[in-house]
């Protein structure tokens, strides 16, 4: 089995961070999103990976080449024509081999080995409370009969999670070829979902596989939620003399922390400095500086500095000051 990871998107919902760093390289729980994904791919025993690059592709190529000793191929998507189009571009690298497709902004935890080993075409799904906000898999017995984007009247609560193990690769690429040649776009883009529905119509059997951990990183709130969840899953206890650390946190190499309260759910990349501050539920980039700061649910980029958030007050008896 080979893996395809589309990472060409501009990550507009994560601006301003993605102005300088492509979304897959934004850090969460101490590692780039793409690092988490590739570690999982390697753990599955997959040795050949195709990355569909576009926006700031050179940064992604450099990162992956420097950190992963696996068989890597890169294909460029010069125009963002949709996820279906991005996957279509990988066809010559995959041929008829089974393919595992993982989105470049989604991390999975759980029994992926079982999903891959289950054979046949498996679509990763997760039960959600409000199916009308998601792409939903409609099932008959265990077979998917159709994938519907944000249905008004959802027939299931199984959201399409963004991981696809496809054994009938020729049928997938054939379906993508049809939708691209016929110009069928949904919301202006060539959609992978449309190709999967076409596969079903043409007789392919697609089954659903419930993934345990589905961690989206596409928006600031989602990135912070994922940071929290991954830190909760695994992070060593941290102790820094002179400061209070509330686990779980990730503190990178060569980070200076003085007279501060850090955590819970804080990731700090290497070479950063935190002095006289209180920080919780936040991600700090490399060489960031926070002094006299009070931060919650914050994303602080590389080399950014935030200083002086404590207030000086002169408040008389029976007064009320409310900063909320
Ligand atoms: P998204 O639409 O969530 O990512 O695509 P995006 O476009 O980067 O983000 P926003 O919407 O502007 O904030 C999911 C995955 O599919 C890839 C993206 O890079 C992301 O990893 N993708 C999407 C492509 O590679 N090409 C496309 O044409 C569309």
């Amino acid at each position: 089995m080979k893996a395809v990871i589309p990472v060409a998107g501009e990550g507009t919902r994560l601006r301003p961070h993605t102005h300088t760093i492509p979304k897959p390289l934004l850090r969460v729980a101490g590692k780039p999103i793409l690092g988490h994904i590739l570690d999982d791919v390697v753990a599955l025993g997959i040795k050949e990976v195709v990355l569909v690059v576009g926006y700031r592709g050179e940064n992604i190529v450099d990162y992956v080449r420097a950190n992963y000793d696996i068989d890597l191929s890169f294909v460029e998507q010069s125009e963002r024509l949709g996820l279906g189009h991005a996957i279509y571009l990988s066809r010559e690298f995959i041929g008829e081999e089974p393919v595992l497709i993982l989105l470049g902004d989604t991390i999975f935890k759980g029994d992926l080995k079982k999903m891959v080993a289950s054979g046949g075409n498996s679509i990763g799904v997760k039960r959600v409370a409000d199916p009308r906000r998601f792409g939903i898999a409609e099932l008959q017995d265990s077979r998917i009969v159709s994938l519907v984007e944000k249905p008004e009247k959802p027939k299931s609560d199984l959201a399409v999670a963004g991981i696809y193990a496809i054994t009938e690769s020729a049928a997938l690429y054939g379906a993508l070829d049809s939708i691209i040649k016929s110009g069928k776009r949904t919301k202006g883009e060539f959609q992978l979902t449309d190709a999967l529905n076409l596969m079903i119509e043409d007789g392919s059997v697609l089954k659903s596989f419930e993934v345990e951990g589905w961690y989206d990183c596409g928006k600031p709130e989602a990135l912070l939620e994922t940071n929290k969840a991954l830190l909760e899953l695994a992070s060593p206890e941290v102790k820094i003399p002179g400061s209070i650390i509330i686990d779980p946190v990730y503190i990178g190499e060569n980070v200076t922390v003085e007279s501060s309260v850090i955590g819970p759910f804080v990731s700090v990349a290497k070479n950063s400095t935190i002095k006289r501050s209180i920080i919780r539920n936040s991600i700090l980039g490399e060489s960031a500086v926070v002094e006299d700061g009070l931060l919650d649910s914050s994303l602080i980029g590389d080399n950014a500095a935030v200083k002086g958030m404590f207030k000086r007050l002169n408040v008389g008896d029976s007064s009320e000051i409310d900063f909320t």
Side-chain angles (χ1 to χ4, degrees), residues 27-32 36 227 230-231 250-252 266-269 283:
R27 277 174 294 259
V28 58
K31 209 190 301 182
H36 289 280
N227 183 57
L230 296 183
L231 287 175
Y250 168 85
I251 307 282
V266 173
S267 296
V268 185
I283 302 175

Side-chain angles (χ1 to χ4, degrees), residues 31-59:
K31 209 190 301 182
I33 299 165
L34 186 56
H36 289 280
I37 298 170
L38 284 171
D39 287 351
D40 289 341
V41 166
V42 170
L44 285 172
I46 296 175
K47 294 188 177 65
E48 289 179 58
V49 177
V50 182
L51 285 131
V52 184
V53 295
Y55 178 71
R56 291 196 162 264
E58 62 291 350
N59 301 25

Side-chain angles (χ1 to χ4, degrees), residues 6-13 23 77 80-83 86 104-105:
V7 287
E10 291 183 26
T12 52
R13 289 167 297 164
K23 179 164 65 174
Q77 186 190 32
R80 245 64 71 209
L81 297 178
L83 181 57
D105 60 356

Side-chain angles (χ1 to χ4, degrees), residues 219-291:
K219 295 184 286 196
E221 316 83 71
L223 195 65
L224 289 167
E225 273 300 310
T226 297
N227 183 57
K228 177 179 173 188
L230 296 183
L231 287 175
E232 272 174 334
L233 279 181
S235 56
E237 199 184 321
V238 178
K239 283 206 182 331
I240 299 176
S243 289
I244 295 170
I245 306 296
I246 306 169
D247 291 313
V249 299
Y250 168 85
I251 307 282
E253 281 170 27
N254 197 30
V255 168
T256 303
V257 180
E258 284 176 21
S259 311
S260 296
V261 181
I262 312 285
F265 318 125
V266 173
S267 296
V268 185
K270 65 182 179 190
N271 302 328
S272 291
T273 302
I274 301 167
K275 292 183 180 172
R276 303 172 303 277
S277 297
I278 300 175
I279 307 178
R280 63 181 184 222
N281 193 39
S282 296
I283 302 175
L284 274 64
E286 277 180 26
S287 305
V289 176
V290 179
E291 287 178 7

Side-chain angles (χ1 to χ4, degrees), residues 123 138 143-147 175 193-207:
I123 310 297
E138 298 188 349
R143 262 177 90 153
I144 297 175
V145 287
S146 73
L147 299 164
T193 315
D194 287 335
L196 295 171
N197 276 326
L198 194 55
M199 280 177 75
I200 296 169
E201 277 168 34
D202 289 345
S204 289
V205 175
L206 270 60
K207 294 202 164 173

